[in-house]
């Protein structure tokens, strides 16, 4: 008798399994008896994986790529190994000059950038996080947190300030103390979606996770009184079911992030400038010295913030240069691009970014 293909929908629904992953599963080369599982936590060759049989602590198959939180993996029939990774829908990738790329979270639909209203707002930092989000293939939103700490007028002012930078992106004002905005956030993150929270230490990411999950699943710690700096309470990335079909990934605090993004992501981050650029005299206007440049014109007229334009031009140049630098230049086929640093030294380097 031919067995029906296993139906994972019911068992894996809570960790946001959907038709798209079912297609990827069908297309994958899977051994007899293998099952799909979602990486809840990944740690040095081992990972915690949610499967139809419950949570499993698995080894990463040696010689395979290390899975990241949010990945769907093929679990071997004995339930010992996470054997391979299903093709990703999206990935949040951190990178830096001369370093290998590093996947922060995989198969993410929404990136919530937490911005604490209790500290000075850094527009340039938000731009980089937006760039990271757009490049991932997910949809960004800004979560303006701790609104209970300011007056209504200040909140409105700050929200406008953030909306100007996060052009075209939803900005949600939330508080885990008053509950403001939590329902909207839950709706935005729910319905089978995978959301990830990123942002500075102390911005309130884990507090939001606890509020949305409805249980204290993550530790939180008070920020420093002098300057509202966080204490790096969360030290690893972890995925939690929201109970509404969606999942949320909590991450350790990051100040800024090194990101390699294409032109599309840069334009998505600066849609106001892209719109202006459409009316420049030359189609390939670099917004430098060209006559009839609508972008520089807008800046001169005070309609576009000069600092924002400088930031756009700077990021665009940086991304173009870094992309070019990474292009393989006639490397002999079949040869590795040089010795690779050991995993532990890579980790040590990455850690320097999480502060
Ligand atoms: N007043 C107020 N305090 C909040 C709110 N959300 C979080 N906090 C406080 O802010 C501090 C830091 O919160 P966490 O949730 O630990 O911040 P985090 O972003 O997870 O920090 P890391 O794990 O270090 O990245 C804690 O003392 C929280 O109680 C809020 O909405 N209002
Ligand atoms: Mg935390
Ligand atoms: Zn121009």
């Amino acid at each position: 008798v031919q067995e029906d293909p296993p139906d994972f929908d019911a068992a894996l629904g809570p960790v946001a399994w959907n038709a798209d992953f079912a297609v990827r599963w069908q297309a994958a080369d899977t051994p007899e008896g293998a099952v799909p599982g979602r990486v809840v936590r990944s740690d040095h060759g081992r990972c915690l994986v949610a499967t139809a049989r419950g949570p499993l602590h698995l080894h990463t198959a040696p010689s395979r790529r290390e899975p990241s939180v949010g990945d769907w993996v093929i679990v071997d029939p004995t339930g010992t190994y996470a054997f391979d990774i299903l093709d990703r829908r999206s990935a949040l990738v951190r990178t830096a000059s001369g370093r290998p790329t590093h996947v922060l979270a995989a198969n993410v639909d929404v990136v919530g950038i937490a911005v604490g209203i209790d500290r000075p707002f850094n527009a340039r930092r938000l731009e980089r996080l937006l760039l990271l989000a757009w490049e991932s293939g997910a949809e960004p939103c800004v979560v303006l947190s701790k609104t209970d700490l300011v007056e209504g007028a200040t909140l409105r002012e700050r929200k406008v300030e953030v909306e100007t930078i996060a052009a075209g992106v939803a900005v949600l004002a939330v508080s885990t103390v008053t509950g403001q905005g939590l329902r909207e956030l839950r709706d935005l993150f729910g319905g089978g979606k995978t959301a990830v929270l990123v942002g500075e230490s102390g911005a309130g990411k884990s507090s939001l996770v606890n509020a949305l999950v409805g249980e204290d699943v993550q530790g939180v710690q008070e920020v420093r009184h002098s300057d509202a700096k966080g204490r790096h309470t969360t030290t690893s990335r972890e995925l939690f079911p929201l109970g509404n079909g969606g999942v949320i990934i909590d991450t350790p605090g990051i100040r800024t992030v090194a990101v390699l993004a294409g032109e599309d992501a840069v334009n998505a981050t600066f849609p106001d400038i892209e719109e202006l650029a459409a009316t420049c005299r030359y189609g390939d206007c670099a917004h430098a010295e060209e006559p009839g440049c609508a972008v520089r014109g807008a800046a001169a007229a005070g309609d576009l913030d000069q600092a924002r334009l400088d930031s756009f031009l700077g990021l665009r140049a940086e991304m173009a240069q870094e992309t070019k630098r990474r292009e393989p230049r006639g490397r002999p086929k079949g040869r590795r691009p040089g010795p690779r640093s050991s995993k532990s030294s890579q980790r040590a380097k990455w850690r320097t970014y999480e502060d």
Side-chain angles (χ1 to χ4, degrees), residues 116-119 144-159 173-175 178 180:
I117 210 162
D118 59 339
R119 63 201 60 212
L144 191 56
S145 63
K146 311 197 193 184
T147 56
D148 58 283
L149 294 177
V150 297
E151 300 286 322
T154 311
L155 169 59
R156 281 189 292 279
E157 228 169 74
R158 292 292 294 276
K159 190 158 181 260
V174 306
S175 165
T178 62
Q180 183 187 9

Side-chain angles (χ1 to χ4, degrees), residues 167-181:
V169 165
V171 178
L172 266 82
V174 306
S175 165
T176 56
V177 171
T178 62
Q180 183 187 9

Side-chain angles (χ1 to χ4, degrees), residues 172-214:
L172 266 82
V174 306
S175 165
T176 56
V177 171
T178 62
Q180 183 187 9
L182 293 185
R183 252 210 18 214
E184 289 91 330
L185 195 62
R186 206 176 143 81
D187 289 346
L188 197 68
F189 287 1
K193 285 200 195 111
T194 297
V196 63
L197 281 172
V198 297
E200 248 193 301
S201 176
K205 300 178 295 297
S206 300
S207 303
L208 283 167
V209 168
N210 290 342
L212 294 174
V213 172

Side-chain angles (χ1 to χ4, degrees), residues 272-282 285-304 309:
D272 48 341
I273 296 180
E274 195 195 14
E275 197 179 310
L276 284 167
T279 58
C280 288
R281 184 177 307 161
Y282 303 109
C285 187
H287 323 306
E289 301 292 317
E290 295 89 340
C293 174
V295 173
R296 269 188 306 111
D303 296 332
L304 170 65
L309 173 55

Side-chain angles (χ1 to χ4, degrees), residues 261-347:
E263 213 178 309
D264 288 351
V266 176
N267 287 335
T269 304
F270 298 91
D272 48 341
I273 296 180
E274 195 195 14
E275 197 179 310
L276 284 167
T279 58
C280 288
R281 184 177 307 161
Y282 303 109
D284 61 349
C285 187
H287 323 306
E289 301 292 317
E290 295 89 340
C293 174
V295 173
R296 269 188 306 111
D303 296 332
L304 170 65
D305 181 28
Q306 183 64 44
R308 182 163 170 85
L309 173 55
D310 291 344
S311 181
F312 165 79
L313 294 173
L315 280 172
R316 198 179 60 167
E318 182 188 328
M319 294 307 139
Q321 190 187 28
E322 189 65 14
T323 304
K324 201 165 156 210
R325 220 186 52 76
R326 282 175 185 260
E327 270 167 13
R329 279 176 300 231
R331 188 183 298 138
K333 272 213 169 85
R335 294 236 347 243
R336 291 257 172 153
R340 288 157 62 116
S341 55
S342 76
K343 275 199 173 147
S344 62
S345 75
Q346 275 177 30
R347 270 197 301 274

